[in-house]
Amino acid sequence: MQHPKFNEDWFNPNADLPYAVEPGEVRAAIKEFYDFYGDLNQFLLREGHGRIETVLRANNALSDFIGNVATEELAQASDTLIINQKQDGFPDILPVDNEQYAEQDYEVHHGEEGIETKCSKSNGGWQAHNNEEAWFIVFRYERGDPEDDVDEMDPIRLVQVLAGSLNEDDWSHSGRNDDSRRTITSSIISSGMYKLRSNPVYEDPAAITGRGEELVEYKQRHAQFDPTFADEHPEYVTEQTTQGEN
């Protein structure tokens, strides 16, 4: 079974993060997730149960698993964060130095400070239940072909970890009429996508998406921290990239 590997070239040490969180703590969380994922799959295969990807067949179940583990690992990697102790509370991760949260034993139904996390295979259109104003971290992943043999299947890989401070105007809200049973959702719109894509913490250059000048901007920014990409795509190397390498 293949084990996912952290690619140092894809790591952005200058990403902007709140609450004194360091990009290196995100790096540690990704590595810990990969170790947990690899150990879990080795156990499942040894016991004849397949892989976590084949056990959790629904995409939303797999996304929940990846997001929950990555979120826990990030909170454990940082001295300034703690998991929200309330199930389905908002946001997912809380700053430990918030006195009001501490008085509630970090069991917060809906707080104004903290980091909400999302996990998805999609390259955009990430959703929530409301137009939320908070810092968000999005874990975007790829998985192997479910039709492949379980021993040969490509592993889950995190291809983007994006961070951004979103406000209510960065969402579109979809309500429902009285007769509908559809879940009420809000989706991140272009302004929110721009904020997130402009601040990658970890990014496979093949996963960069966008249009026109924004896509060029994302690739120029990526070239500032990925030397391999910069060498292979000199058209995206700017003066800022050169200065950052010195």
Side-chain angles (χ1 to χ4, degrees):
M1 187 196 83
Q2 297 182 56
H3 191 287
K5 296 180 180 179
F6 185 89
N7 189 322
E8 287 290 344
D9 283 351
W10 300 352
F11 171 65
N12 178 12
N14 298 313
D16 183 25
L17 295 166
Y19 309 114
V21 178
E22 296 291 337
E25 294 168 345
V26 179
R27 174 209 274 139
I30 295 172
K31 290 183 176 182
E32 287 296 328
F33 165 73
Y34 280 170
D35 287 345
F36 177 84
Y37 163 77
D39 291 345
L40 177 60
N41 267 345
Q42 287 179 348
F43 168 78
L44 291 173
L45 287 170
R46 186 170 64 247
E47 298 299 317
H49 300 307
R51 295 167 55 134
I52 192 65
E53 300 99 310
T54 57
V55 173
L56 302 177
R57 293 182 178 274
N59 284 335
N60 59 337
L62 187 59
S63 294
D64 285 347
F65 163 76
I66 298 169
N68 288 339
V69 175
T71 299
E72 290 274 358
E73 295 294 357
L74 176 55
Q76 291 184 27
S78 174
D79 292 334
T80 65
L81 300 175
I82 186 171
I83 286 289
N84 191 338
Q85 302 301 300
K86 184 172 181 60
Q87 187 174 5
D88 297 326
F90 178 93
D92 294 310
I93 316 177
L94 308 175
V96 295
D97 63 357
N98 185 299
E99 293 182 2
Q100 181 180 357
Y101 290 170
E103 291 173 357
Q104 300 175 61
D105 294 326
Y106 301 102
E107 188 174 350
V108 178
H109 174 67
H110 194 284
E112 295 182 356
E113 286 193 338
I115 301 172
E116 179 76 355
T117 62
K118 298 293 177 189
C119 182
S120 177
K121 286 179 61 182
S122 172
N123 63 15
W126 302 303
Q127 295 183 333
H129 292 301
N130 298 287
N131 292 21
E132 300 288 4
E133 185 166 335
W135 269 88
F136 281 78
I137 290 181
V138 175
F139 297 98
R140 183 180 165 208
Y141 71 95
E142 291 181 352
R143 58 159 297 173
D145 187 339
E147 299 301 321
D148 287 347
D149 182 87
V150 292
D151 290 315
E152 302 299 327
M153 187 186 300
D154 288 338
I156 287 172
R157 297 185 310 124
L158 292 174
V159 295
Q160 280 186 316
V161 181
L162 309 174
S165 178
L166 306 187
N167 57 46
E168 292 185 1
D169 294 333
D170 293 320
W171 302 82
S172 66
H173 187 68
S174 299
R176 65 184 179 193
N177 59 43
D178 293 339
D179 297 327
S180 175
R181 295 175 59 86
R182 183 181 61 81
T183 301
I184 297 174
T185 58
S186 291
S187 299
I188 300 175
I189 60 175
S190 58
S191 61
M193 298 302 303
Y194 178 77
K195 292 178 181 179
L196 289 161
R197 290 170 176 165
S198 296
N199 190 34
V201 189
Y202 186 73
E203 181 173 67
D204 179 347
I208 299 173
T209 55
R211 295 181 180 179
E213 294 181 358
E214 288 185 355
L215 179 59
V216 173
E217 180 184 339
Y218 301 148
K219 291 185 177 182
Q220 288 176 338
R221 184 174 290 105
H222 188 91
Q224 294 174 18
F225 61 84
D226 184 340
T228 301
F229 180 80
D231 287 343
E232 294 176 350
H233 297 278
E235 67 272 24
Y236 295 117
V237 176
T238 64
E239 183 178 353
Q240 185 175 1
T241 303
T242 304
Q243 291 174 346
E245 292 174 349
N246 292 335

